[in-house]
Structure formats: structure tokens, C-alpha cells
Amino acid sequence: MKRKWGLLAGCLALVALIIGAVVWTQSRHTNVRTAPATHNRLTKQDVTATEVKVKPWVKLKHPLQLPILMYHSISTGNQLRVPQQQAVAELNYLKRHHYQTLTTTQAIRALTTNTVPQKKVVWVTLDDAYTDNQKLLPTLKRNHQHVTINVITGFTHKSDHLSLAQMQALKATGRVDFASHTVQHLDLNALTAAQQKQELVASKQWLDQHLHQNTLLLCYPAGRANRTTHRLAKQAGYRVALTTTEGVAQLSQGRYNLSRLRITPGMNLTTFADLIRVTNS
């Protein structure tokens, strides 16, 4: 009987020894796998240093007044051509007086939500997409500013208008975005509804396809449009549209009837400053 109990005790001891060895081995492997890699560990200071701080937009108590500047060619010769020296001086003025130049997306957000990234904002637009618009790029890069160019998509083969390759290069800088100025720059008021739709839809499709974007802005040729144009612009997917009506833009004008401020050749900086001066609060 004693021999049987001794044998049983020995077996139990052996089993306990085996179980202990297995547990110890698994524990050792687990520790190896889960041991912290101190050389990859980010400290709180590291995380803080890599965070990008984005300032919240400010909600205005009163309706936004947005100066939308209207340029065309950056050259000389007529009232639609602003010399490069003047245009650069005006961009430098905006920089020096702490105006933020909005992108199309930012401008739409500002107008439709009545919020702004800061109190002094302006939207710089250039109509027709002339090749000489490229003269502004060095200033835009230096000042960290932005402009919107309204493209006549049927004119991109003309030597004095931006080609697709030139537009793609400008867009890649992050300093320029592009919007529709229709296909052939025709007076929309003189067209049938079907003809207007063709101009609006085809230009948007061209820009969307070739510049890989969702074109949200329409600029009317010569600033003219009618109620049919407004309806068709909305149906085509545009969020806002620009006229040549003189004045500061406000949402009360209607999303598809926004005013702009024409920049004329020979305008001095005092006149320019008075033109864009608004108080948003």
C-alpha cells in the first residue's frame, strides 16, 4: 500500500514539474514579444512637436462682407490689363496688411456658413486664364498667397491662354485653383436654355476630368446671366457664381449673383486700400 502511495506521489510531482516548465517557457516568450521597444517609443514632447495646430474659424455676428477682386490679363494695353508691377504691389499690400487670400473652397465656406479663418479676408480672381497670369506665381509663393483663375475651357489651345499642362503645373504649386468661365465665353443671356446648359456642363466636366477636381465655381462671361442661368448652374453642380457687378460680395445677393471689385490699371494703393476696406464682426 505504501508503495502504491509513493508511486502516485512521484507521478504527481513529475506532472507538476512538467506543468511548471511549460508555464515558465510561455511566460518567457510572452515577455520577449511584448517587451517595449524603447528606441521606437514616442514621448509626449515628440507627439506635441508633430501636431499641426489649425486655428478654428470665427463665427461672425453680422453677415460676411467679402471683397472679391477681379483681374484679367497681367500686362498693359487696355482697361482689362493690369501691369505686373501694379498687381504685385497690390498682392504685397495684402500681405503687409495681414489679409488672408482665400481659396475657392474657403470662400464658399465663408459665404455659406458666415465664418472666417480671420477677420481680414479677400478672394483674388483672374478671368479668362491668360498665360501672363503666370507672372504672379513668384509673388504668390513668396507671400504664401492664393488666387483663383476662371478658365475658358475652349481657349486652352490658344497661345495667349493657359494650356492644360500650364494649368496643371500651377495647380501643383498649391497657390492657384481653377474655376469655370464656360466653354466659349458667350453671352449667356443671348443663348437658349439648352445652349446655356451645354456651356456650363461641358466646361465643368472638362475641368473636373483634366484637373481631377470638383469644380464648384462658375464665372459668367462679361458677368451676365439670368434666372435660367442661375437654375442651370445649380443643377450642374456649381455652388456659387460670380458677376461683374461692382461691389463687395454678400450672401444676400444670392449664391449665383455675387458682386466683385474690378481692379483697373493705374489704380494707386490708396484707392486699392479704400476699395477692399470692410469691417467684419
Side-chain angles (χ1 to χ4, degrees):
M1 188 68 177
K2 289 182 180 181
R3 183 180 178 185
K4 290 182 180 181
W5 281 111
L7 182 60
L8 180 59
C11 290
L12 290 175
L14 180 60
V15 170
L17 182 61
I18 293 172
I19 293 175
V22 170
V23 170
W24 179 84
T25 301
Q26 289 180 343
S27 175
R28 184 171 179 271
H29 287 172
T30 301
N31 288 339
V32 170
R33 288 196 302 268
T34 60
T38 55
H39 61 283
N40 287 329
R41 186 185 299 167
L42 289 177
T43 66
K44 184 177 181 180
Q45 183 178 359
D46 293 331
V47 173
T48 303
T50 58
E51 288 179 348
V52 177
K53 294 183 179 180
V54 179
K55 292 182 179 179
W57 282 39
V58 178
K59 182 73 173 179
L60 299 176
K61 294 181 180 178
H62 302 96
L64 170 66
Q65 300 180 77
L66 178 59
I68 306 178
L69 309 188
M70 177 174 55
Y71 293 86
H72 289 78
S73 175
I74 305 302
S75 59
T76 60
N78 59 44
Q79 288 299 302
L80 294 181
R81 298 175 180 270
V82 173
Q84 180 181 357
Q85 184 178 3
Q86 177 187 334
V88 168
E90 288 161 354
L91 289 173
N92 287 338
Y93 177 92
L94 295 176
K95 174 69 174 180
R96 196 163 58 247
H97 290 83
H98 310 293
Y99 281 88
Q100 180 169 336
T101 52
L102 301 179
T103 66
T104 294
T105 301
Q106 289 173 328
I108 292 172
R109 175 181 175 182
L111 286 163
T112 57
T113 65
N114 206 45
T115 61
V116 287
Q118 62 175 50
K119 294 296 180 67
K120 297 174 75 172
V121 292
V122 65
W123 189 8
V124 182
T125 65
L126 298 97
D127 291 2
D128 303 335
Y130 290 103
T131 54
D132 56 36
N133 291 176
Q134 296 174 104
K135 296 176 182 179
L136 297 181
L137 187 57
T139 304
L140 297 174
K141 287 182 175 180
R142 183 177 64 252
N143 291 348
H144 303 286
Q145 293 173 309
H146 192 93
V147 299
T148 297
I149 296 179
N150 301 314
V151 182
I152 307 170
T153 58
F155 286 12
T156 56
H157 65 285
K158 295 187 176 184
S159 60
D160 59 342
H161 287 75
L162 292 171
S163 67
L164 173 59
Q166 289 170 326
M167 284 189 280
Q168 290 171 331
L170 286 171
K171 183 178 179 182
T173 68
R175 297 297 159 196
V176 183
D177 65 48
F178 294 91
S180 169
H181 204 25
T182 73
V183 179
Q184 295 296 333
H185 201 267
L186 303 175
D187 185 346
L188 296 173
N189 278 338
L191 303 181
T192 65
Q195 291 170 327
Q196 287 194 52
K197 182 177 180 180
Q198 170 64 20
E199 286 288 309
L200 273 53
V201 172
S203 60
K204 185 180 189 308
Q205 289 177 341
W206 190 95
L207 291 165
D208 288 355
Q209 176 184 349
H210 292 289
L211 295 180
H212 307 290
Q213 64 182 38
N214 179 19
T215 306
L216 301 177
L217 170 66
L218 170 65
C219 180
Y220 305 127
R224 289 189 285 270
N226 52 41
R227 290 185 178 180
T228 298
T229 319
H230 298 171
R231 174 175 58 81
L232 292 173
K234 182 177 182 180
Q235 290 177 357
Y238 297 105
R239 293 284 306 280
V240 295
L242 305 179
T243 70
T244 56
T245 303
E246 190 70 22
V248 174
Q250 298 183 74
L251 192 60
S252 59
Q253 297 162 352
R255 289 191 183 200
Y256 301 96
N257 196 44
L258 296 173
S259 299
R260 287 190 289 172
L261 300 170
R262 184 185 296 274
I263 307 302
T264 56
M267 178 182 291
N268 60 48
L269 285 179
T270 300
T271 302
F272 179 79
D274 290 339
L275 188 69
I276 65 174
R277 184 176 293 116
V278 297
T279 302
N280 285 310
S281 59

